[in-house]
Amino acid sequence: MSVAHDPSTARLTARLTARGIVRRYGGIEAVAGVDLVASPGRITALVGPNGAGKSTLFDCLAGTVRPDAGRVVLGGRDVTALPAHRRVRLGLARTFQQIAVFPTLSVADNVRVGAEQPTARRDRPDPRTVAQRTADALRLFGLQDLAAEPAGTQPTGVLRLVELARALAGGPRVLLLDEPAAGLDVAQTARLVSVLRGLAARGMALLLVEHDAELVAELADTVYAMAEGRMVAGGPAPTVLADPRVTRAWGAAT
Ligand code: ATP
């Protein structure tokens, strides 16, 4: 483990590892024994056609779905048996495919919920830290001018950024992003790309599930490709994205 550079997010970096993950639904093996590593300082993408098992694997990593077999290790600690909120305390944050914000709360209060997140070292951050983290996360996504607005009145693109800001306000070591660019316009996508690159440069491990092939090619250092519950390929982005097994399974679907 190495130390992150930014003092405001000074927490140890962490690797997220999945080994032999299996998850069945009835007779279907949604995830059929897959391995994946999301490393500090890297952007890792998980791709594949609809029904490949990406969301199920993602949920196993986040802790909202318990695998039938396999292990999830976060920063050297086996978290397989830990529920999602305990993983959050250990520095694992996520965003959702279906946007999940509190519509009656203001944009700033939605982000504050993330900033108030307890960590493994501290039950609850002090109010000054919460205010600072909230302000930093709002600024990161250019949301300062909308801070007082009720979240429920904002368009989808803004809500995606609010969700991201909330996930980041807790100072995670690993960030899981489920289709982060869905609903974003060109300018918002450009901001997203630049923020995610900046986070990786500061040592965060990022894992995104993404359908947009161009965005994956632009952002990802490492790509894993799933099809029918199995990992078809994994490695450096240019190699995997040019792999005929991947273009056959995924290219046809995009
Ligand atoms: P998409 O890109 O459409 O989100 P995906 O790659 O994320 O697809 P999953 O949503 O993980 O794929 O689904 C993998 C398989 O598991 C599919 O056959 C799906 O129908 C099945 N599945 C997923 N969740 C459940 C569930 N809660 N109950 C039953 N079957 C499920």
Side-chain angles (χ1 to χ4, degrees), residues 55-56 58-66 82-84 87 94 96:
S55 297
T56 305
F58 193 89
D59 288 339
C60 289
L61 296 172
T64 43
V65 165
R66 190 66 62 83
L82 295 187
R87 299 185 198 192
R94 73 168 293 181
F96 295 85

Side-chain angles (χ1 to χ4, degrees), residues 14-254:
R15 172 174 282 102
L16 180 68
T17 307
R19 290 275 174 253
I21 300 293
V22 175
R23 172 68 199 198
R24 300 181 196 93
Y25 289 110
I28 298 172
E29 270 198 335
V31 177
V34 304
D35 299 340
L36 177 147
V37 179
S39 298
R42 318 277 294 174
I43 299 179
T44 303
L46 178 59
V47 306
N50 292 335
K54 307 179 296 295
S55 297
T56 305
L57 175 58
F58 193 89
D59 288 339
C60 289
L61 296 172
T64 43
V65 165
R66 190 66 62 83
D68 293 305
R71 291 196 329 140
V72 179
V73 177
L74 172 64
R77 176 168 174 180
D78 190 330
V79 297
T80 318
L82 295 187
H85 71 273
R86 296 279 308 281
R87 299 185 198 192
V88 173
R89 286 185 77 132
L90 295 172
L92 183 73
R94 73 168 293 181
T95 64
F96 295 85
Q97 198 170 349
Q98 304 298 330
I99 291 172
V101 296
F102 303 103
T104 56
L105 292 186
S106 69
V107 164
D109 284 344
N110 266 280
V111 175
R112 190 167 294 116
V113 169
E116 285 173 342
Q117 190 59 54
T119 67
R121 281 180 297 167
R122 196 170 38 197
D123 266 354
R124 206 164 257 287
D126 62 83
R128 254 182 53 193
T129 306
V130 169
Q132 187 63 52
R133 284 181 173 183
T134 304
D136 288 349
L138 287 168
R139 199 173 326 107
L140 197 60
F141 290 100
L143 294 168
Q144 311 93 299
D145 294 347
L146 299 173
E149 300 293 325
T153 62
Q154 299 304 308
T156 307
V158 170
L159 295 183
R160 282 251 172 250
L161 300 183
V162 171
E163 228 203 348
L164 269 164
R166 182 178 56 201
L168 285 174
R173 306 187 289 172
V174 177
L175 181 59
L176 305 180
L177 302 152
D178 201 348
E179 299 200 30
L184 297 192
D185 64 24
V186 173
Q188 288 166 333
T189 304
R191 181 159 211 137
L192 175 76
V193 166
S194 126
V195 169
L196 298 187
R197 284 218 183 101
L199 294 172
R202 278 162 26 187
M204 197 178 287
L206 293 103
L207 174 69
L208 53 134
V209 171
E210 185 52 64
H211 277 284
D212 182 337
E214 270 181 45
L215 186 67
V216 170
E218 188 182 352
L219 257 185
D221 302 299
T222 302
V223 174
Y224 288 92
M226 285 185 79
E228 296 175 355
R230 299 182 188 282
M231 209 55 94
V232 180
T239 312
V240 173
L241 294 174
D243 186 324
R245 290 170 301 174
V246 175
T247 49
R248 257 202 310 275
W250 186 44
T254 56

